Amino acid sequence: MELKAVVFSIPFGVTFFVLGLFVNLLQAICFLTIRPLSKSAYRKINGTVASLLWLDHIWLLEWWAGLKVKLYTDLETYRLMGEEHALLMPNHICDADILIGFILAQRLGCLRSALMVVKKSAKYLPIFGWTSWFQGFVFLNRSWEKDESNLKRSLRGLKDFPMPFWLTIYAEGTRMTPDKLSEAQKFAASRKLSIPKNVLIPRTKGFVTAVKNLRSFVPAVYDVTLVVPEGHSTPSLHTLMEKKSTMVKIHIKRYSMKELPQSDEAIAQWCRDRFVAKDSMLDKFRAEGTFGDQEIHNTGRSIMALLVHSSCSCLIYLAMFKLCQKFSLLSTWRGVGVLVTSFAATVLLMHILIEYTKLPKQKGVQTTRSTSGKATGFKFN
């Protein structure tokens, strides 16, 4: 991790680390005492507790890094968002997608019940992974033989969820990279499929299973398309720590679950067709720079995120100051050693999180070309 990111991560990291441990402690207590008595009450309380940490992440994106998120959808969909259960199907553009999803959920009032299907290794991340596990994220091995029964069980367990939830599933199965785009293009060419330029080819088994197990009590699928406009860099946890401002535009189209076909193969083809449509929409966006006239004007950055981060930071640093005074930590070598070790642990924690989200080295990619001969493809910064 570069020195700049290390230095910038320390103030946020201290708050994140202490707040996260506090959140995890409360979650563990609720899991052991409330969940056995009332699963519904546990989910409500746990969602509220977890949202404290997610709001801290939102502060990092919106107030520290200056990330701007613009939403495009029709007014009827906007009215229903946050008022109904929904299965979200976004394209996966970067490691910050999950955090961007938190921003969207917070704006629409369902941050407490924003659930996601993520890879199993994320469960073991300090603070973030533990909070996600308690909240009810679904963790997959990326091996269908191992994942099928776990996914079905997790999906069925949402039937009695006490408040409107969003379940996000990344059908592409991985983040967009030049290498993966190249592989997807070669695969599409070999199968005589539409060759993608801006998305990957979805892995449909998880999506089909989600639809079949949720359709009896989840009324809608939200087809979510994310894009970074020209002139802006793709966000990452690393660049966010370095205060590199950028923008993400999001288009959402709602489909009633009743509109989806019944058979497994027909659902799988419906999913593939949506990603072909996403690809065309992103082509059009890159030509015009907009999703059209459906932009939803919101109130801007989250005041709640600012209040949560500011109040938690003040309380944490005040407590640290009092501890330093009480135990004379700054006047003895032992005390200084304790402080240095604590800050080193914070830096190590942030380093682990940032390294985990980094993309692997790319081998280079040959993009497809449009009929006009102009190179096309996803932009990476």
Side-chain angles (χ1 to χ4, degrees):
M1 190 167 55
E2 295 178 10
L3 180 60
K4 185 178 179 181
V6 171
V7 173
F8 282 179
S9 72
I10 291 176
F12 171 78
V14 170
T15 302
F16 170 75
F17 185 71
V18 177
L19 175 61
L21 289 177
F22 176 71
V23 165
N24 292 157
L25 177 62
L26 288 180
Q27 287 180 306
I29 292 171
C30 292
F31 183 83
L32 295 172
T33 60
I34 299 175
R35 192 176 187 276
L37 302 175
S38 172
K39 193 175 180 181
S40 177
Y42 166 75
R43 280 171 160 166
K44 289 179 180 179
I45 296 170
N46 181 57
T48 301
V49 172
S51 66
L52 293 175
L53 191 66
W54 303 152
L55 284 166
D56 196 47
H57 286 74
I58 292 172
W59 174 88
L60 174 70
L61 270 67
E62 292 190 326
W63 291 91
W64 175 261
L67 174 71
K68 294 181 177 63
V69 175
K70 293 192 175 182
L71 174 63
Y72 294 78
T73 190
D74 62 273
L75 291 177
E76 178 61 19
T77 298
Y78 185 69
R79 184 184 66 81
L80 290 170
M81 291 175 70
E83 301 295 329
E84 62 178 356
H85 297 327
L87 176 64
L88 276 65
M89 183 182 67
N91 55 320
H92 202 352
I93 64 171
C94 64
D95 63 74
D97 284 351
I98 291 177
L99 305 184
I100 294 168
F102 289 154
I103 291 178
L104 196 60
Q106 197 270 333
R107 287 183 182 178
L108 277 301
C110 59
L111 182 61
R112 295 188 304 157
S113 52
L115 309 175
M116 300 187 186
V117 180
V118 296
K119 57 185 178 182
K120 187 177 180 179
S121 58
K123 179 166 62 175
Y124 305 108
L125 285 173
I127 310 299
F128 181 90
W130 308 335
T131 306
S132 302
W133 183 84
F134 279 118
Q135 190 167 5
F137 279 33
V138 182
F139 298 93
L140 300 182
N141 288 286
R142 292 182 174 176
S143 168
W144 188 242
E145 292 74 19
K146 297 178 181 178
D147 292 333
E148 184 177 11
S149 59
N150 175 45
L151 181 59
K152 287 181 179 178
R153 182 174 61 255
S154 299
L155 294 169
R156 290 167 184 164
L158 296 174
K159 191 169 186 178
D160 58 351
F161 208 88
M163 48 195 170
F165 68 80
W166 286 1
L167 177 67
T168 299
I169 183 167
Y170 294 98
E172 293 163 297
T174 187
R175 289 169 289 177
M176 165 72 83
T177 69
D179 285 348
K180 289 169 184 173
L181 177 59
S182 179
E183 291 170 7
Q185 291 172 338
K186 291 174 183 177
F187 176 83
S190 69
R191 299 294 180 92
K192 296 182 179 179
L193 302 173
S194 174
I195 297 178
K197 297 185 285 293
N198 308 287
V199 297
L200 304 180
I201 296 173
R203 304 173 186 181
T204 56
K205 285 184 179 179
F207 180 78
V208 170
T209 300
V211 170
K212 295 196 69 157
N213 285 274
L214 295 177
R215 68 188 317 159
S216 65
F217 59 95
V218 173
V221 175
Y222 295 167
D223 183 8
V224 183
T225 304
L226 297 90
V227 64
V228 177
E230 187 72 25
H232 294 269
S233 61
T234 302
S236 70
L237 189 56
H238 192 175
T239 59
L240 292 169
M241 287 292 182
E242 293 184 336
K243 297 193 71 173
K244 292 183 179 178
S245 179
T246 187
M247 177 185 292
V248 175
K249 295 190 176 184
I250 303 175
H251 181 275
I252 298 179
K253 182 174 177 59
R254 182 186 184 275
Y255 292 91
S256 170
M257 194 69 85
K258 295 177 182 178
E259 297 177 33
L260 272 65
Q262 296 294 322
S263 70
D264 289 12
E265 181 50 43
I267 296 171
Q269 186 58 51
W270 185 91
C271 178
R272 288 190 286 267
D273 289 345
R274 298 287 71 72
F275 273 84
V276 171
K278 282 180 191 287
D279 199 40
S280 298
M281 180 187 296
L282 289 169
D283 268 348
K284 185 178 180 182
F285 178 90
R286 297 192 188 288
E288 300 177 358
T290 181
F291 284 123
D293 58 356
Q294 293 184 316
E295 182 178 349
I296 301 295
H297 296 281
N298 53 67
T299 55
R301 295 180 292 186
S302 169
I303 300 299
M304 181 61 70
L306 177 63
L307 290 174
V308 167
H309 178 82
S310 300
S311 57
C312 288
S313 296
C314 289
L315 288 172
I316 289 168
Y317 282 104
L318 178 61
M320 290 173 61
F321 176 74
K322 292 294 185 182
L323 285 172
C324 287
Q325 279 190 324
K326 183 174 181 179
F327 296 102
S328 302
L329 294 181
L330 294 175
S331 60
T332 64
W333 284 111
R334 184 177 180 180
V336 172
V338 169
L339 291 175
V340 170
T341 302
S342 300
F343 279 106
T346 299
V347 172
L348 178 61
L349 171 65
M350 300 311 299
H351 174 74
I352 290 171
L353 294 175
I354 290 174
E355 288 299 314
Y356 180 84
T357 60
K358 271 188 178 180
L359 290 170
K361 272 192 171 183
Q362 302 302 304
K363 303 173 186 175
V365 60
Q366 180 179 355
T367 59
T368 60
R369 289 183 175 269
S370 65
T371 54
S372 66
K374 184 178 180 181
T376 60
F378 199 89
K379 180 182 178 183
F380 293 85
N381 301 89

